[in-house]
Amino acid sequence: MSFGKELNLTMLTDFYELTMANGYFEGGLQERIAYFDIFFRKIPDNGGFAIMAGVEQMIEYLDKLKFDEADIEYLRTKGIFSEEFLQYLKKFKFSCDVWAIPEGTPIFPHEPIVTVRGPVIEAQFVETMLLLTINHQSLIATKANRIVRAAQGRPVMEFGSRRAQGYDGAIFGARAAYIGGCVGTACAIAERDFAIPAFGTMAHSWIQMFPTELEAFRAYARTYPQDCTFLVDTYNVLKSGVPNAIKAFNEELVPRGFRPKGIRIDSGDITYLSKQARRMLDRAGFPDCKIVVSNSLDEYIIREILVQGAKIDLFGVGERLITSKSEPVFGAVYKLAAIEEQGEIIPKIKISENVEKLTNPGFKQLWRFFDKESGKAIADVITLAGEEIDDTRPYELFDPEFTWKRKMVTNFYAQKLLVKIYDKGQCVYKMPDLKTIRDYCREQVDTLWDEVLRFENPHTYYVDLSVNLWQLREKLLAEHIVK
Amino acid sequence: MSFGKELNLTMLTDFYELTMANGYFEGGLQERIAYFDIFFRKIPDNGGFAIMAGVEQMIEYLDKLKFDEADIEYLRTKGIFSEEFLQYLKKFKFSCDVWAIPEGTPIFPHEPIVTVRGPVIEAQFVETMLLLTINHQSLIATKANRIVRAAQGRPVMEFGSRRAQGYDGAIFGARAAYIGGCVGTACAIAERDFAIPAFGTMAHSWIQMFPTELEAFRAYARTYPQDCTFLVDTYNVLKSGVPNAIKAFNEELVPRGFRPKGIRIDSGDITYLSKQARRMLDRAGFPDCKIVVSNSLDEYIIREILVQGAKIDLFGVGERLITSKSEPVFGAVYKLAAIEEQGEIIPKIKISENVEKLTNPGFKQLWRFFDKESGKAIADVITLAGEEIDDTRPYELFDPEFTWKRKMVTNFYAQKLLVKIYDKGQCVYKMPDLKTIRDYCREQVDTLWDEVLRFENPHTYYVDLSVNLWQLREKLLAEHIVK
């Protein structure tokens, strides 16, 4: 059993999906085949890339899609849906094809990261939940990956449940953080259901429950001699917390043959306190005792305190990770890319008053080019589906906006990134386990150049269009300009 | 049936709640009575107040608190819990007293907004979920209230499901937004389960599914003549969208005796477009056709475009409301305030390297003073539980930090804000329905002075301590200073 697995979230949908569905039904368009893409426009925190996540929960949602009696009853009360349509919903069964980029993959703006093809009512209806799921987990995986990279090899734990935006903000947030590279979580249910290692020791209240800090430490050490990390900032880190921790280590652990695990500092000047604490622990004969810190950390603070020479072995990151505080929205959208008429694909484009809201028309595939020598990712190319890329020959990339910017690539191999996960409503994708996704994420991030990875002014990774797709877009643009 | 009602979220807890619980159990402290307070330290967006929300979900959680076989099995695999403790968890039943401030009430920093009293294992254990629930919904209710106030009487709809941080980020977010003053939501499940009015018309894809925008509008008007709002920015608002909307209104609605409901603009220069669109609609004989806008709105943008004279009748607010984008964390904490020894209450304080992390000790009550004449809220006073406030006599308020700041209040009445919701594990609180909470919220916000309501540099509302509580805090502080 796993959290949320039994939930039917069919009705977690924007109401307009239902008014449109009924409209298509009334207009006799319910069998019209449509193609929708999910893509995003801007990388959170001005980063160089994002991390795809949420595919597993998207599959769980699609597998259970079903209008039950209560849903139909509710819809009937609205008084705007025809009885025929309500009967149609009763029998509603998802029959679309779906392609998605595997979880853990670095993704870039304007790339199709999910494509849904099928009868327009179905393909349209799933918009809200697909976006919600992919937006949420990609946001947190992306943020976690930034924080993990800032920690430069030191483990990062996800500590944010109490500040998450709702239950699955906490649970699926912990899942996404693990994909992004966290070593574990404080959230017990995330371990029970997703096998994400959960850790935890004590709150300040534990200390306060005892007459003195030392007695609190002793009691804890007696219960957990094998896993003893003390929270040392309840009264005063250097004058009370660390000395008492050392005393308790010496009294309760050493005589019984145990070594201390660590101390945790949750407030104050982390750099100063960690350096002093490190010195005190080393002098007391505990150089193996780790220093854990937690207190409104994020990638910027972690980078800063490490530059200052803070002595930290493990970071616990809470609210700023679990809400992606500095940028709490991953703005992926769901846009019509094509329809079919008599089996022929008719590409569609969305113009807008805002230029960046322009869409890439047609049924598409996404390719990643890797340099054969270094293994590094060179560029992504969006093509029309069915186009092949011959990676035995040089390929000319060109910028879709500034087409004079061109680059010939050689000695590369090209990999398709969109994988089929549903075939006519049947899931055909075997979800990798979470640990595998996490490893894959690390490997894939390693294929990016340092210039793409950096936090400040990262290099804009090339996402180019094939000549065919670019020409199609130009043609549709010209047709749609309203004079 | 209602979303999430059947979920057992017992294991949605920080792992340290379990290590501490086992520690108390091993140390024979499981019957020790403890008092914990929830309070927050900082109002999001530098506002003048926050809105309490989430009590209903807190109750649902507490009512279902139970470790099932799978939970026990999982905990056993950790290898650190005694079998006696696991047996204890099997029989675990929440038996605490709980007090909370009713949903919809304006709340201020450092006030106890929830108090839990009971055996320390139980009272400690519920920390994570109580914080998660109250933090999330109070965050969104507070943000919604800001946005609704910025709209100056124009209705605000919650539109954010697709950008919410998880499923209940969307659903309970819609609930909290409604408490804060939104008139409705785009989220269908929020109407099915919470009777929050849900609305929705069409996406850009509806327009694109038809050969022309005009045909798309006509088809929609034929299906929904009684509720016809067109999205007018798919191609060009003023050259295409609005003229086609007027044409479709005239062709499909007017002859059948219907009036148009509205047009929606989702991109571009909202102020300019809305003014022009208003003029065009008025001239075409549709002064009653509403203009709805939605596009990355929040309280600041709404205020700004209204100052500029935008002609808007209804706002749809998405991502910046559902994630409280400008400040996505409501930082309430859960701190030990007292324990009992032989039936006597022993107050506890938490000192910290960070001054603002100081806690108010003891078992407390919160009072709000209202001016009898104006009905306005004058100040809140935190007292020890059992203290009475005689509002027939003048009362001297004093600032707990700058104690020379004093103010004598007269002609007031004092109201207790903390209400008992659990008595020995039994819920004794009758939840008001959501509409009642929303009305109460509006009334209570109306009791605040304009100076507290404003967005920039709001007046800091007085939250003072009774003389008894202040003296107790000073005494404990003096005792705990580490020299």
Side-chain angles (χ1 to χ4, degrees):
Chain A
M1 197 214 47
S2 173
F3 169 77
K5 271 216 194 300
E6 63 290 352
L7 284 178
N8 178 347
L9 294 163
T10 303
M11 291 300 288
L12 178 34
T13 183
D14 283 326
F15 199 78
Y16 78 6
E17 318 287 9
L18 290 157
T19 48
M20 286 192 283
N22 180 51
Y24 291 133
F25 187 85
E26 294 293 305
L29 292 178
Q30 73 263 39
E31 295 303 325
R32 172 67 55 91
I33 299 297
Y35 294 74
F36 287 88
D37 293 330
I38 294 183
F39 64 92
F40 70 104
R41 298 179 181 121
K42 190 184 160 300
I43 301 167
D45 291 311
N46 298 314
F49 65 98
I51 300 285
M52 179 74 175
V55 174
E56 183 171 6
Q57 281 61 46
M58 179 171 99
I59 291 173
E60 286 177 2
Y61 160 72
L62 291 173
D63 276 351
K64 288 197 303 281
L65 206 53
K66 181 183 185 331
F67 294 87
D68 64 26
E69 274 304 325
D71 302 335
I72 304 288
E73 204 35 64
Y74 153 67
L75 291 173
R76 190 173 283 122
T77 64
K78 297 291 282 185
I80 57 171
F81 300 117
S82 71
E83 199 52 40
E84 293 70 29
F85 175 66
L86 296 177
Q87 294 307 317
Y88 161 83
L89 289 186
K90 262 193 193 176
K91 291 182 209 134
F92 182 97
K93 220 188 143 317
F94 185 67
S95 70
C96 297
D97 300 321
V98 182
W99 294 260
I101 292 184
E103 294 192 85
T105 309
I107 50 176
F108 301 92
H110 303 293
E111 295 183 342
I113 55 178
V114 174
T115 294
V116 179
R117 173 200 174 277
V120 62
I121 294 186
E122 300 174 29
Q124 174 73 64
F125 181 80
V126 298
E127 174 183 30
T128 308
M129 265 293 285
L130 262 48
L131 287 178
L132 190 167
T133 304
I134 300 296
N135 274 331
H136 173 225
Q137 291 200 41
S138 299
L139 176 74
I140 305 304
T142 303
K143 187 67 170 181
N145 191 262
R146 291 173 63 83
I147 293 170
V148 166
R149 285 183 286 125
Q152 299 177 43
R154 293 164 189 82
V156 174
M157 300 268 305
E158 185 283 303
F159 264 23
S161 298
R162 64 189 56 192
R163 305 279 164 84
Q165 295 190 0
Y167 315 143
D168 31 55
I171 300 169
F172 297 130
R175 179 183 185 276
Y178 187 66
I179 290 175
C182 287
V183 297
T185 178
C187 182
I189 201 170
E191 182 169 63
R192 189 196 67 181
D193 294 351
F194 295 108
I196 302 167
F199 303 92
T201 54
M202 65 180 68
H204 295 110
S205 53
W206 173 273
I207 312 295
Q208 296 173 276
M209 280 298 291
F210 293 83
T212 68
E213 190 178 47
L214 181 59
E215 285 172 77
F217 288 166
R218 282 180 180 144
Y220 196 86
R222 282 193 294 271
T223 311
Y224 302 107
Q226 78 288 17
D227 187 14
C228 204
T229 297
F230 295 142
L231 180 59
V232 294
D233 70 337
T234 305
Y235 302 115
N236 184 305
V237 172
L238 301 177
K239 290 182 183 166
S240 166
V242 178
N244 281 330
I246 289 170
K247 207 173 245 181
F249 290 150
N250 275 320
E251 290 176 8
E252 301 289 342
L253 300 187
V254 177
R256 298 158 71 189
F258 291 105
R259 297 297 300 169
K261 204 67 165 283
I263 61 164
R264 179 161 75 96
I265 305 172
D266 188 44
S267 59
D269 187 318
I270 297 293
T271 303
Y272 173 74
L273 294 174
S274 69
K275 284 183 186 174
Q276 298 299 321
R278 181 74 273 157
R279 203 163 300 158
M280 292 162 79
L281 290 165
D282 289 352
R283 281 190 196 150
F286 300 114
D288 51 341
C289 177
K290 309 268 192 228
I291 298 179
V292 184
V293 304
S294 54
N295 182 23
S296 301
L297 300 173
D298 62 17
E299 67 270 41
Y300 304 105
I301 295 175
I302 288 175
R303 185 177 58 178
E304 184 60 25
I305 60 182
L306 290 180
V307 165
Q308 292 162 11
K311 299 293 187 189
I312 296 164
D313 301 293
L314 194 152
F315 293 96
V317 183
E319 61 192 41
R320 297 189 186 194
L321 166 54
I322 206 67
T323 66
S324 186
K325 185 166 187 280
S326 55
E327 191 138 358
V329 171
F330 194 86
V333 295
Y334 193 81
K335 293 293 173 191
L336 184 72
I339 61 171
E340 279 181 22
E341 276 178 6
Q342 284 93 42
E344 193 197 339
I345 297 175
I346 315 289
K348 293 282 182 175
I349 196 166
K350 157 92 177 67
I351 323 284
S352 170
E353 310 268 338
N354 304 30
V355 178
E356 73 280 7
K357 288 194 171 184
L358 194 69
T359 65
N360 283 316
F363 176 35
K364 298 177 291 294
Q365 176 57 276
L366 177 66
W367 302 73
R368 183 153 297 167
F369 288 21
F370 294 94
D371 183 73
K372 268 189 182 163
E373 203 144 320
S374 64
K376 291 292 183 191
I378 306 165
D380 286 3
V381 175
I382 312 173
T383 65
L384 289 169
E387 280 194 80
E388 287 299 323
I389 285 180
D390 179 1
D391 53 13
T392 65
R393 307 169 62 141
Y395 187 97
E396 190 181 47
L397 299 169
F398 69 99
D399 185 294
E401 303 311 324
F402 310 104
T403 52
W404 48 268
K405 282 183 158 181
R406 282 161 191 265
K407 183 188 164 116
M408 189 65 78
V409 288
T410 53
N411 197 32
F412 71 101
Y413 61 95
Q415 200 176 312
K416 288 184 192 176
L417 293 187
L418 280 166
V419 173
K420 194 157 194 182
I421 62 168
Y422 273 82
D423 184 71
K424 298 191 180 64
Q426 290 300 313
C427 183
V428 292
Y429 183 60
K430 187 168 158 13
M431 268 306 298
D433 68 43
L434 201 58
K435 178 76 169 48
T436 305
I437 295 172
R438 183 172 178 273
D439 293 344
Y440 168 78
C441 180
R442 198 184 46 238
E443 287 160 26
Q444 293 302 306
V445 170
D446 278 348
T447 69
L448 302 176
W449 291 102
D450 287 345
E451 289 69 22
V452 175
L453 294 171
R454 69 184 168 216
F455 294 158
E456 310 299 337
N457 303 319
H459 177 83
T460 302
Y461 183 84
Y462 296 122
V463 179
D464 295 337
L465 309 184
S466 69
V467 172
N468 288 342
L469 177 56
W470 183 83
Q471 285 173 342
L472 173 67
R473 197 181 74 168
E474 292 297 302
K475 179 171 150 280
L476 290 179
L477 263 176
E479 285 173 17
H480 275 289
I481 294 304
V482 180
K483 285 165 199 105
Chain B
M1 198 217 45
S2 173
F3 169 77
K5 271 214 193 302
E6 63 289 351
L7 284 178
N8 177 347
L9 294 163
T10 303
M11 291 300 288
L12 178 35
T13 183
D14 283 326
F15 198 79
Y16 78 6
E17 317 287 10
L18 290 156
T19 49
M20 286 191 283
N22 179 52
Y24 290 133
F25 188 85
E26 294 294 305
L29 293 178
Q30 73 263 38
E31 296 303 326
R32 173 68 54 91
I33 299 297
Y35 294 75
F36 287 88
D37 293 330
I38 294 183
F39 63 92
F40 69 105
R41 299 181 180 118
K42 190 185 160 299
I43 301 166
D45 291 312
N46 298 312
F49 65 100
I51 300 286
M52 179 75 175
V55 174
E56 184 172 6
Q57 281 61 46
M58 180 171 100
I59 291 173
E60 287 178 0
Y61 159 73
L62 291 173
D63 275 351
K64 289 196 305 281
L65 206 55
K66 182 183 185 332
F67 294 86
D68 63 25
E69 274 304 324
D71 301 335
I72 304 288
E73 205 35 65
Y74 152 67
L75 291 173
R76 190 174 282 124
T77 65
K78 297 291 282 184
I80 56 171
F81 301 117
S82 70
E83 200 52 39
E84 293 70 30
F85 175 66
L86 296 177
Q87 294 307 317
Y88 161 84
L89 289 186
K90 262 193 193 176
K91 291 182 210 133
F92 182 97
K93 219 186 144 316
F94 185 67
S95 70
C96 297
D97 301 321
V98 182
W99 296 260
I101 292 183
E103 293 193 84
T105 309
I107 50 177
F108 301 92
H110 303 290
E111 296 182 343
I113 56 177
V114 174
T115 294
V116 179
R117 174 201 174 276
V120 63
I121 294 186
E122 300 173 29
Q124 175 73 62
F125 182 80
V126 299
E127 174 183 29
T128 309
M129 266 293 285
L130 263 48
L131 287 178
L132 191 166
T133 305
I134 300 296
N135 274 330
H136 172 225
Q137 291 199 42
S138 299
L139 177 74
I140 305 303
T142 302
K143 186 67 171 181
N145 192 262
R146 290 173 63 85
I147 293 171
V148 165
R149 285 184 286 124
Q152 299 177 45
R154 292 166 189 80
V156 174
M157 299 268 303
E158 185 282 303
F159 263 23
S161 297
R162 65 188 56 193
R163 304 279 165 84
Q165 296 191 358
Y167 315 143
D168 30 54
I171 300 170
F172 298 130
R175 179 183 186 274
Y178 187 66
I179 290 175
C182 287
V183 296
T185 178
C187 182
I189 202 170
E191 181 170 63
R192 189 196 67 182
D193 294 351
F194 295 109
I196 302 166
F199 304 92
T201 54
M202 64 179 69
H204 296 110
S205 53
W206 173 273
I207 311 295
Q208 296 173 276
M209 281 297 292
F210 293 83
T212 67
E213 190 179 47
L214 181 59
E215 285 173 77
F217 288 167
R218 281 179 180 145
Y220 195 87
R222 282 193 294 270
T223 310
Y224 302 107
Q226 78 289 16
D227 187 15
C228 206
T229 297
F230 295 141
L231 180 59
V232 295
D233 70 337
T234 304
Y235 302 116
N236 183 307
V237 172
L238 300 178
K239 290 183 183 165
S240 166
V242 178
N244 281 329
I246 289 170
K247 206 174 246 180
F249 291 152
N250 275 320
E251 289 177 8
E252 301 288 343
L253 299 187
V254 175
R256 298 159 71 190
F258 291 104
R259 296 298 299 169
K261 205 63 165 284
I263 61 164
R264 179 161 76 95
I265 305 173
D266 187 44
S267 58
D269 187 317
I270 296 294
T271 303
Y272 172 74
L273 294 174
S274 69
K275 284 184 187 174
Q276 298 299 321
R278 181 74 273 156
R279 204 162 301 156
M280 292 162 79
L281 290 165
D282 289 352
R283 282 192 193 145
F286 300 114
D288 52 341
C289 176
K290 308 269 192 228
I291 297 179
V292 184
V293 303
S294 53
N295 183 24
S296 300
L297 300 174
D298 62 17
E299 67 270 42
Y300 304 106
I301 294 175
I302 288 175
R303 184 176 58 180
E304 184 61 24
I305 60 183
L306 290 180
V307 165
Q308 291 162 11
K311 299 292 187 190
I312 296 164
D313 301 293
L314 193 153
F315 293 97
V317 183
E319 61 192 42
R320 297 189 185 193
L321 165 54
I322 206 68
T323 66
S324 186
K325 185 166 188 279
S326 55
E327 191 139 357
V329 171
F330 194 87
V333 295
Y334 192 81
K335 294 292 172 191
L336 184 72
I339 60 172
E340 279 181 21
E341 276 179 5
Q342 284 93 41
E344 193 197 339
I345 297 175
I346 316 288
K348 293 282 182 176
I349 196 167
K350 157 94 178 66
I351 323 283
S352 171
E353 309 267 339
N354 305 31
V355 179
E356 74 280 6
K357 288 193 170 183
L358 194 68
T359 65
N360 282 317
F363 176 35
K364 300 176 290 292
Q365 177 57 277
L366 177 65
W367 303 74
R368 183 153 298 167
F369 288 20
F370 294 94
D371 183 73
K372 268 190 183 163
E373 205 144 319
S374 64
K376 292 290 183 191
I378 305 166
D380 287 3
V381 175
I382 312 173
T383 64
L384 289 169
E387 281 194 78
E388 287 299 323
I389 285 180
D390 178 1
D391 52 13
T392 63
R393 307 168 61 142
Y395 187 97
E396 190 180 46
L397 299 169
F398 69 99
D399 185 292
E401 303 309 324
F402 310 104
T403 52
W404 47 269
K405 282 182 159 182
R406 283 162 191 263
K407 181 187 165 119
M408 189 66 77
V409 287
T410 53
N411 197 33
F412 70 102
Y413 62 95
Q415 200 177 312
K416 288 183 192 177
L417 293 187
L418 280 166
V419 172
K420 193 158 195 181
I421 63 168
Y422 274 82
D423 183 71
K424 299 192 180 65
Q426 291 301 313
C427 183
V428 292
Y429 182 60
K430 189 170 157 12
M431 268 306 299
D433 68 44
L434 202 57
K435 179 76 169 49
T436 306
I437 295 172
R438 184 171 178 272
D439 293 344
Y440 168 78
C441 180
R442 198 183 45 239
E443 288 160 25
Q444 292 301 307
V445 171
D446 279 348
T447 69
L448 301 177
W449 291 101
D450 287 345
E451 289 68 22
V452 175
L453 295 171
R454 69 184 168 216
F455 295 157
E456 311 298 339
N457 303 318
H459 177 83
T460 302
Y461 183 84
Y462 296 123
V463 178
D464 295 337
L465 309 184
S466 69
V467 172
N468 287 342
L469 177 57
W470 184 82
Q471 285 173 341
L472 173 66
R473 197 180 75 167
E474 292 298 302
K475 178 171 152 280
L476 290 179
L477 263 177
E479 286 173 18
H480 276 289
I481 293 304
V482 180
K483 285 166 198 106

